[in-house]
Structures are given as structure tokens and as C-alpha cells.
Amino acid sequence: MKSIQNLFSNSKFKKNFLVLIFIMIAFLIARIVHGNFRLTDSNEYFATAELLKNGKYFGQTTDIIESINLTKRPFLYPLLILFLGFLNDLVIVLFQTILGIFNLFLVLQIFKNLGGKSYYLITILLFLTPSIFINTHLIMTETIASTVMLLIFRQFQNKLDNRKIVYIQILLCLLFFLKPAFYLFTIVNLLFFIFYFIRTKTFQISVFVPLLMSISYIGYNQHRTGFSHFSSIQNINLIDYNLYLFKMKQEGIDKAELWKKSVYEESEKFKTFEEYSSYLDKTGKSEIKNNLIPYAFFHVKGAIRGMFDPGRFDLITFHEQQDASQGFMQLLNKEDFMSVLKGLLEYKYKIVILILIPIFLTNIFKWFFALSYLWNNRKLWNFRNMYLILICGYSILISGPVNTCRYMVLLQGIVIIIAVLGWENFRQKKAPRLSEAF
């Protein structure tokens, strides 16, 4: 409590925090006026919440559609939806708004603890990252997952101890039950801490918990559906997005459509979820194996591209349904400058472009100063801090070709903190303040 009082005794901290609260409330009012708090994916969380409510979530089935719906979304966020009122979207969003304000507080607090001074720049960069505010007021997991990432980051500010290590394991469990893609990071987590214990001659048994939890959940899904998997989203992303986009890039949209159609026509031969999922899994992995180098390049390129996505899809949620053909990054991926220029002139939402351009430039600024700061101060790459580099790198790379601004919301607070510290050191030409605090 005393440390919080000390924070608010800092006039710059207090003023900028109040400005950020005002921005958050302004976005909330805009969302309330718009009246729709859901994306397409939001309905899947409500469907899982309904399964939990009527007890079907704990049942068994071999039916393909039922199994897909049963395991698509982990239980954590749907449980929160049930607890907060299920059918009352505004109640859920108001809770997330409070959590979003807490996230802003965490960003400023961590920044101050690391010796940062430029609160005004933190505020400007947060404002020019509207995806943070927009996703706070949509019924999605981004806000809670962002809280988890910031709290993990916070554990590494000073020397690790047993209490912090236990907190990290709890937070990681929350993270992969919010975002299924992180379940594989439990392996990285365990290996990291095994090496850490060898180096420090210490031990904490809690580091086995996240991996055991993910394995147990995979086993539970196998018990329910007959197929060993963490989430049915895995095969959906593999076939419908990653490989479909890869085929489209390599062979054109017509052949990509034919390939996806043939895959699903073949899958109709299978009558159980286990057979169906095994077929999609083997088909997807075979395609990647046969195109390993070009696919790896495509995957990494897509992941990096998503780091700079200004978030047209987020902004357009105030207007109408998402339209992938009008994506801003698609325009910038044209083969030549004239195609880009023509695309901009013919762009359906010309006013949106005026907003997206400064956001896009802000993304370049953030990543340039964050990455250049870490590169120029490689002594920060000590063993303890490698955990943060690994989890941030994993978050980017695991998204692959579908990486977008929304997926990067989890990292935005961290990136902004490091970017502003990098900007301060660039301006002041002095040694990094992170060497002791980070």
C-alpha cells in the first residue's frame, strides 16, 4: 500500500495515469454507443459457457461437430463469463475495463521501477496503440491475458525467489488456459527453470505444475473425445489459415481453395472425431514437411509482419463486420509501389487510413527502439532475463502467418516500456538502467 501511495505522490505518474483512465473511458463510451461487444470468436466463449452451465462440458462424445465445439475454447474465460452474468455483455466489459485500467497502472508502475522518466511518451504510445483499449471492451481474452503477461514481466524486475517462481507457474497456467497456443511453452518453462536451478543450486517443485496441467488437460480431452489434443483450434488454424494462406501465396487463391475443399471432402469419409482429427493433423504436418523451408520462411515472415499491423480489423469493429479483403497489411504486401498506391486510393475506408498511418508509424517506432535497445545492450541478455525474451519471442512466432494487431495486444505494454527506455537512452546517451532492475 505504501509503495502505491509513493507512486501517486509522483505528479507525472498521477497525471498520466488519469489521462489514460480518461482515454479508456472514452473508448468504453464509444463501444457502448456502438452497442456490440462481441466478435465472431466471442460467441464461441458463450457456447462453451453454455456447455459448462448445462454440464455437457464434462460429457463424452465421438461426434465430430460436438467434439470440435467441446474442446475449441478452454474453460477459464467461459467460467468468468458465467460468473459475471453470462447474458449481460456490459457487466463483462465493465469488469474488463477495470482490469484494463489495472493494466495501464502496471505499465506505468513497471516503467517507474525500471527508472523510466518519460511518462508523457508512455501515454502517447499507449494512445497510439488503440488495440489495447478496443480489445478491452470486446468479449475476448486479450485483456486478461495481457494482465497475466504484465504480471509475469513484473516478477523478473528483481532477483527471483521461491515465491516469485511459484507465481510465475500459476500465471503460466492461467495463460495457456486463456490462450491455448501457450500450452507448448510449458516445455520451455520447465527446461528454463531446470537450467536455472542447476546454475543457482536451488529447486522449486512448482515448475513441473504447468507441464503436468497441460498434459492432464490433453488427457482429459482424449477421454472426452477419443483424440489426444489441447484444443480443436489446432487443426482449424493449421488447415483453414496457416496452410491455406501458404497455398494461396505459393499457388494462388483458386488452387488454395481447391486444396482446402479436397481436404475437407476427404475428411467426410471419417465418422469419429479421432479419425477426422488424425487425418487433418497428418495432412497438415505432411504439407509442412514437404515444403519445410518455404513454409518456415512464410511462417516467420507472417509473424514479423503482424508485429507492425496497425489494426484495421480492431478499428472497423465500430463500423461493421470484419472484411479480410480490405486489410491494411494486405495493401502494403503488394508487389510494387504503384499497386500499393492504387490500393490506398481505392481503399473502402479512406478515413480509417488516416488513423492507421500514424498507428503504423508508431508500431515501427516502438519495435525499432525496443529491439535496438536490447541489441545495443546485450548484457541484459543474462540467463534470468532470457525467460522474458523467450516468452515474447514465442508469443510472436507461434502466431505465424495469422499474426495480427489483436494477437500482439499481449505484448504491447512490455514493448512500449522497453521502447521508451530505449528512446530515453538514445536521447541521453547513457548506460541502460535495466542492468540492475530488469
Side-chain angles (χ1 to χ4, degrees):
M1 182 64 69
K2 187 175 180 180
S3 61
I4 294 177
Q5 289 175 347
N6 290 336
L7 283 174
F8 282 101
S9 65
N10 184 318
S11 61
K12 289 185 178 180
F13 182 100
K14 185 177 180 179
K15 288 178 181 178
N16 283 273
F17 184 50
L18 291 174
V19 169
L20 290 171
I21 291 175
F22 175 80
I23 296 171
M24 181 68 77
I25 293 173
F27 273 93
L28 173 62
I29 293 170
R31 180 59 60 184
I32 291 173
V33 170
H34 179 259
N36 184 16
F37 303 102
R38 302 188 189 188
L39 298 179
T40 303
D41 290 353
S42 305
N43 296 322
E44 295 174 1
Y45 292 111
F46 280 94
T48 303
E50 182 64 41
L51 291 172
L52 284 166
K53 185 179 179 181
N54 60 32
K56 292 183 179 179
Y57 184 84
F58 307 101
Q60 293 177 265
T61 181
T62 59
D63 181 80
I64 294 173
I65 300 300
E66 288 181 358
S67 296
I68 290 174
N69 294 332
L70 196 64
T71 65
K72 183 177 285 187
R73 300 294 178 179
F75 60 87
L76 191 56
Y77 190 65
L79 269 178
L80 179 67
I81 288 174
L82 281 177
F83 178 75
L84 290 173
F86 193 34
L87 296 178
N88 195 325
D89 292 7
L90 182 57
V91 172
I92 299 168
V93 167
L94 288 175
F95 169 79
Q96 291 183 179
T97 300
I98 295 171
L99 201 58
I101 291 172
F102 175 66
N103 289 348
L104 297 174
F105 172 81
L106 280 177
V107 170
L108 293 177
Q109 183 191 49
I110 294 170
F111 180 66
K112 182 181 184 300
N113 290 345
L114 296 178
K117 304 295 183 184
S118 303
Y119 292 101
Y120 70 93
L121 185 55
I122 284 273
T123 301
I124 291 171
L125 292 183
L126 285 168
F127 175 69
L128 290 174
T129 312
S131 58
I132 294 173
F133 303 95
I134 293 171
N135 283 282
T136 297
H137 305 130
L138 292 170
I139 300 180
M140 299 291 291
T141 59
E142 271 64 33
T143 300
I144 304 176
S146 297
T147 305
V148 172
M149 287 293 285
L150 285 167
L151 289 174
I152 289 175
F153 186 75
R154 194 169 180 268
Q155 303 309 309
F156 287 89
Q157 286 184 52
N158 297 298
K159 185 178 179 179
L160 285 175
D161 54 30
N162 283 341
R163 179 177 58 85
K164 287 187 174 184
I165 292 172
V166 171
Y167 285 165
I168 292 166
Q169 309 316 306
I170 294 172
L171 290 167
L172 181 57
C173 289
L174 293 176
L175 187 60
F176 66 71
F177 279 124
L178 288 167
K179 292 287 185 182
F182 280 92
Y183 85 95
L184 288 175
F185 191 78
T186 58
I187 300 171
V188 180
N189 175 76
L190 180 60
L191 292 174
F192 172 87
F193 278 106
I194 287 174
F195 282 113
Y196 176 79
F197 294 145
I198 292 173
R199 289 171 63 97
T200 59
K201 297 179 181 179
T202 58
F203 182 70
Q204 172 54 249
I205 196 170
S206 64
V207 299
F208 291 93
V209 172
L211 181 59
L212 291 175
M213 289 282 284
S214 64
I215 291 173
S216 298
Y217 190 70
I218 290 170
Y220 181 57
N221 282 342
Q222 183 177 22
H223 168 73
R224 293 194 292 173
T225 66
F227 180 66
S228 179
H229 68 299
F230 192 90
S231 168
S232 59
I233 288 179
Q234 294 167 237
N235 279 335
I236 294 172
N237 283 348
L238 182 64
I239 302 298
D240 291 16
Y241 297 100
N242 290 14
L243 285 171
Y244 171 76
L245 292 172
F246 174 69
K247 290 279 186 181
M248 187 165 61
K249 182 70 174 178
Q250 297 291 105
E251 303 173 16
I253 188 170
D254 291 337
K255 290 186 177 180
E257 289 284 353
L258 286 173
W259 174 80
K260 187 169 76 169
K261 183 180 179 181
S262 68
V263 169
Y264 281 110
E265 284 179 348
E266 182 68 20
S267 73
E268 292 175 1
K269 297 178 181 179
F270 305 103
K271 303 304 179 184
T272 67
F273 181 69
E274 180 183 10
E275 295 171 336
Y276 170 84
S277 298
S278 296
Y279 164 72
L280 292 182
D281 182 63
K282 290 176 182 178
T283 300
K285 289 178 179 177
S286 176
E287 284 290 337
I288 292 175
K289 183 179 179 181
N290 293 335
N291 301 277
L292 187 58
I293 295 177
Y295 178 80
F297 179 78
F298 173 77
H299 187 99
V300 173
K301 180 183 176 183
I304 294 173
R305 186 192 67 177
M307 295 163 59
F308 302 95
D309 178 23
R312 189 205 72 94
F313 292 142
D314 293 333
L315 289 173
I316 215 65
T317 59
F318 288 109
H319 180 63
E320 60 180 48
Q321 293 295 316
Q322 298 176 3
D323 177 8
S325 66
Q326 286 287 323
F328 187 69
M329 295 304 289
Q330 276 81 350
L331 293 180
L332 299 181
N333 278 336
K334 299 291 185 180
E335 297 295 330
D336 55 81
F337 174 77
M338 292 306 297
S339 296
V340 174
L341 182 61
K342 182 180 178 182
L344 290 172
L345 293 174
E346 296 176 351
Y347 197 69
K348 183 179 178 181
Y349 308 101
K350 291 183 173 61
I351 295 178
V352 172
I353 285 188
L354 297 177
I355 303 173
L356 291 176
I357 290 175
I359 296 172
F360 179 65
L361 295 176
T362 299
N363 284 342
I364 294 174
F365 176 92
K366 288 185 298 190
W367 285 107
F368 174 79
F369 279 101
L371 294 174
S372 62
Y373 179 78
L374 293 175
W375 178 255
N376 292 330
N377 301 288
R378 288 187 291 279
K379 64 181 179 180
L380 299 177
W381 297 25
N382 60 56
F383 185 77
R384 179 165 55 89
N385 292 335
M386 279 303 298
Y387 189 94
L388 296 174
I389 295 173
L390 287 171
I391 197 170
C392 290
Y394 178 92
S395 181
I396 295 169
L397 290 176
I398 199 67
S399 300
V402 298
N403 194 16
T404 62
C405 184
R406 178 158 65 89
Y407 296 139
M408 287 295 95
V409 166
L410 277 66
L411 301 181
Q412 290 294 355
I414 297 171
V415 173
I416 288 171
I417 290 168
I418 304 301
V420 177
L421 290 171
W423 170 254
E424 289 182 351
N425 282 287
F426 171 76
R427 290 286 303 273
Q428 298 171 17
K429 305 290 185 182
K430 62 182 182 181
R433 288 184 290 273
L434 284 177
S435 55
E436 295 180 0
F438 190 77

